[in-house]
Amino acid sequence: MLTPSALRFLAFLPDHAGNPLHFGSDVAKAVTDLTKSITRHDPDLGPLRNVAGCLLWTAVRPVDVPILVSADGRSCSVGWSFDDTRRASSVGRWGGFVTIARDPQGRWSVYRSADGVMTACAIRIRGGLIVASQMPAWLLKAVGIVPDIDWNVIAAVLGDPTITGHQSALRGVVMIPPGCRMDGDVSGGDVVGAHAARHLRIKTIWDPCAIARKARAMPVAVAEKTLRGAVDEAVGAWGSVADHMLLELSGGLDSSILAGTLGTLLPDRRITLVNASTIQAGGDERRYARDVAKLCKRQLVEIDADRRVLDVAELRDLAHPSEPILYGLDAGHDMQMTAHAHAVGADAIFTGQGGDAIFYQMPDLTIAVDAFRLWGWRAVFSTRTRDITRRAQRSIWSAWASMLADQFGRSSSSERFPSPMATPAAAEQAGTYIHPWLTGLKDLPPAKARQVEAVAHSQIFYGPTLRAQSTLFVHPLLSQPVVEACLSIPIPILTGGRGDRQRARAAFADRLPTSVAQRHSKGEAASHYSLAVMNAVTDLRSLLLDGRLVSQGLLDRAALDAALNAETLLWKDVARPLMLYASIEAWIRYWERA
């Protein structure tokens, strides 16, 4: 079961320069209370250290989190960082880390790397700042903060669950989005908690829109070389920090590319491939996974996906972390992969998550608009445009209409998450909390803008899960080198051809079995989740119909009632929203009790 007490790091940043252990009674008491609470609730946090002017605890189990101190002693990085071998990044090193720094004037800044592996949030207390990978209830209690739910954020999350990756639903808790730096005047005063949050400013340091604006036409061979080099850099770096990796191998393109790349770059390293299949249509991809394992010369472990995807009783009883659990809702899969990693002694779990976003799996006509902006009138009668329409299953006339509409400023790329049971009051909050990465979308071609949106939304994969708490949990395709490489390639070139994610298939053709390289279908688990929700429908009705989301006017009770029956679940794809609502409802009840 997920335990929110498991922190990767915790830092106390005092208001005044000097040794925090020698400050006044407020600071001394805060440090004493923190130390006692850590000993009681999270004994796997290592010994207290005075590093770069802050007090720092880092995890020693189940993952030993590294610390890197700068030569001048004014900053430290917590987590895994790698040199940028391409010299292309605007922020130097990349990886899964948080950097804490203090300038000569005593002002603190906290930077979270763009990869998203290491999470970070902050809260103001008397005497300074607390920065940690999570803000569990025991930690807030230890520093005298009473949790308070922000219902406006909850309303917005119903329409866009990825908001939880950059905006806390607890007042006063400031989440630091990936690729962003938190600055603020934390000196002086007794202002704490929610009232102090406005003094903590977020600034975007790594800007994907700026990278995407520089995308230029390039030969196909150059695009493929760029993709291959970036994936090799990311996989090689993350592979170097683990002695034994478990790779979740679905049999789809993205995880197969990872398997082939790991096998090529690290032939002597221990790599366990695990495939989870469902009995429902679209969920059994074992034959593709077997072909990948055969080509990589690795043993494949095959497991049946746990049908107990959603345990409502467990959700109710869970001591929830400071953000709702929205990615690890497939509790059966989460526990199975964690158990297998422990069983084989793996010290890292890799997945292919994020590949759809960076390689642009979405087949839509916005690609035709991007093609027109890239090649002008040559794109109108180009075979490339015909390939785009075939993939999108639309006519050439539709593509031309999209190109024309764009010339009059009418094209749109923004994608929205379905929230079929949200009330109008909740819907009004949609779009209120925008990821810092998405503020420059209007300057981009529509398909490229959608790619940036998809990359930002993919940060949800680094939300709280049992796997992430139990070992090093990484999605290498969301690493900064890979994302930057894909953003630098225009979408019509990245997707060129009739096939799905054509450039990626071609770039890694020698590392893929023919069955995967030439595959045009994609696995689908919708029926698996629908069956899981059917099995839990009685508990879901009890949890949701008279729950806090309904009483706060955010979910439509009549719509929920209609959705929570076997016939609706059989014919309509509403299982995922219902699972999300259940997790958010359980999170609210926990934090109201806290």
Side-chain angles (χ1 to χ4, degrees):
M1 180 183 289
L2 184 70
T3 55
S5 60
L7 296 176
R8 283 286 191 258
F9 78 95
L10 191 158
F12 174 65
L13 285 51
D15 286 344
H16 307 287
N19 188 341
L21 297 176
H22 296 164
F23 289 151
S25 59
D26 279 354
V27 172
K29 183 178 187 305
V31 173
T32 299
D33 291 345
L34 271 176
T35 304
K36 288 180 179 178
S37 294
I38 289 169
T39 302
R40 177 182 177 186
H41 296 282
D42 202 342
D44 288 334
L45 279 182
L48 169 63
R49 309 183 198 188
N50 186 357
V51 180
C54 71
L55 298 179
L56 181 66
W57 295 261
T58 57
V60 293
R61 288 181 300 270
V63 178
D64 189 1
V65 177
I67 302 173
L68 179 65
V69 182
S70 65
D72 62 8
R74 290 182 177 173
S75 68
C76 64
S77 291
V78 181
W80 299 265
S81 63
F82 311 109
D83 288 325
D84 178 22
T85 61
R86 299 156 296 125
R87 298 292 180 263
S89 171
S90 60
V91 295
R93 297 177 69 82
W94 65 274
F97 62 90
V98 171
T99 296
I100 301 170
R102 191 166 201 165
D103 67 16
Q105 287 72 44
R107 293 180 298 239
W108 289 105
S109 67
V110 181
Y111 173 73
R112 179 183 171 196
S113 61
D115 293 53
V117 178
M118 182 70 79
T119 54
C121 48
I123 195 161
R124 179 77 168 91
I125 67 170
R126 286 181 175 83
L129 277 173
I130 295 292
V131 180
S133 56
Q134 275 284 335
M135 288 288 171
W138 66 261
L139 175 55
L140 295 179
K141 182 179 179 180
V143 297
I145 299 296
V146 178
D148 183 20
I149 294 172
D150 190 329
W151 288 99
N152 289 331
V153 175
I154 292 294
V157 167
L158 295 177
D160 182 359
T162 65
I163 287 172
T164 59
H166 63 91
Q167 181 72 42
S168 177
L170 294 175
R171 297 184 190 277
V173 175
V174 176
M175 296 195 69
I176 305 172
C180 294
R181 188 183 70 212
M182 183 191 72
D183 300 309
D185 181 11
V186 301
S187 63
D190 297 326
V191 181
V192 299
H195 298 292
R198 63 179 179 272
H199 299 296
L200 305 178
R201 298 179 296 275
I202 299 296
K203 181 178 181 180
T204 302
I205 304 300
W206 183 83
D207 185 355
C209 288
I211 299 168
R213 285 188 206 102
K214 298 178 182 178
R216 297 291 184 269
M218 63 181 70
V220 166
V222 173
E224 292 173 4
K225 182 179 179 181
T226 299
L227 287 181
R228 190 172 174 116
V231 171
D232 282 0
E233 179 179 1
V235 173
W238 282 115
S240 70
V241 303
D243 294 323
H244 184 178
M245 291 150 279
L246 182 149
L247 173 61
E248 297 183 12
L249 180 63
S250 67
L253 176 66
D254 306 321
S255 59
S256 297
I257 287 174
L258 284 183
T261 302
L262 282 169
T264 300
L265 300 182
L266 305 168
D268 300 324
R269 198 66 58 85
R270 294 182 66 194
I271 302 170
T272 298
L273 307 178
V274 180
N275 172 263
S277 61
T278 72
I279 61 173
Q280 288 78 31
D284 188 352
E285 299 182 278
R286 285 175 296 181
R287 68 184 185 94
Y288 299 107
R290 289 167 184 168
D291 289 345
V292 172
K294 183 178 180 181
L295 181 65
C296 296
K297 298 179 181 179
R298 305 281 179 174
Q299 183 179 3
L300 176 69
V301 177
E302 297 178 358
I303 61 176
D304 294 327
D306 193 332
R307 299 184 192 181
R308 190 183 59 82
V309 170
L310 185 65
D311 189 326
V312 176
E314 184 176 273
L315 272 179
R316 279 176 167 154
D317 297 338
L318 183 66
H320 285 258
S322 54
E323 61 183 279
I325 302 166
L326 301 181
Y327 168 56
L329 279 177
D330 191 340
H333 179 78
D334 205 20
M335 288 188 289
Q336 283 181 309
M337 289 300 172
T338 301
H340 275 280
H342 288 171
V344 300
D347 49 5
I349 298 176
F350 289 176
T351 85
Q353 293 285 14
D356 287 354
I358 60 166
F359 297 142
Y360 206 85
Q361 187 272 335
M362 299 77 78
D364 56 53
L365 290 182
T366 59
I367 305 173
V369 176
D370 283 36
F372 187 83
R373 291 198 190 183
L374 186 66
W375 292 302
W377 290 100
R378 288 179 299 162
V380 174
F381 299 104
S382 170
T383 56
R384 296 187 183 97
T385 301
R386 296 187 181 276
D387 289 339
I388 291 167
T389 59
R390 289 189 183 99
R391 281 196 63 226
Q393 299 182 347
R394 302 287 296 277
S395 70
I396 190 67
W397 297 99
S398 298
W400 291 342
S402 296
M403 292 176 179
L404 183 62
D406 180 65
Q407 294 302 296
F408 290 96
R410 297 175 184 170
S411 65
S412 175
S413 66
S414 184
E415 60 176 352
R416 291 288 177 262
F417 288 81
S419 188
M421 287 147 267
T423 62
E428 288 180 4
Q429 294 296 324
T432 303
Y433 303 95
I434 300 174
H435 196 292
W437 288 355
L438 305 182
T439 56
L441 290 181
K442 291 183 179 179
D443 298 335
L444 298 176
K448 180 58 72 176
R450 190 177 181 193
Q451 182 188 34
V452 175
E453 283 185 312
V455 169
H457 294 160
S458 294
Q459 291 300 318
I460 197 172
F461 299 134
Y462 281 118
T465 61
L466 182 61
R467 284 165 289 174
Q469 289 192 342
S470 302
T471 187
L472 178 60
F473 186 44
V474 181
H475 314 296
L477 295 181
L478 288 174
S479 296
Q480 187 175 317
V482 185
V483 174
E484 289 183 353
C486 293
L487 291 177
S488 72
I489 302 172
I491 298 298
I493 296 174
L494 189 62
T495 61
R498 299 184 185 183
D500 171 38
R501 292 162 285 180
Q502 194 63 36
R503 287 287 69 73
R505 291 182 191 278
F508 298 96
D510 61 326
R511 299 177 184 176
L512 297 171
T514 303
S515 60
V516 174
Q518 297 181 355
R519 182 184 180 188
H520 298 300
S521 61
K522 182 175 173 62
E524 176 54 57
S527 56
H528 173 63
Y529 293 122
S530 293
L531 181 60
V533 172
M534 275 188 195
N535 292 336
V537 71
T538 300
D539 289 336
L540 283 171
R541 292 180 68 86
S542 173
L543 178 70
L544 291 173
L545 290 182
D546 297 308
R548 297 291 286 131
L549 289 169
V550 169
S551 66
Q552 287 288 325
L554 302 180
L555 285 184
D556 186 317
R557 192 181 191 281
L560 278 174
D561 190 25
L564 286 167
N565 69 75
E567 184 175 351
T568 303
L569 290 167
L570 184 64
W571 296 108
K572 293 186 178 181
D573 187 12
V574 294
R576 285 186 176 90
L578 289 171
M579 292 170 64
L580 291 172
Y581 300 157
S583 184
I584 295 168
E585 178 71 33
W587 181 91
I588 290 168
R589 296 190 186 193
Y590 168 78
W591 280 102
E592 286 190 328
R593 292 194 304 271

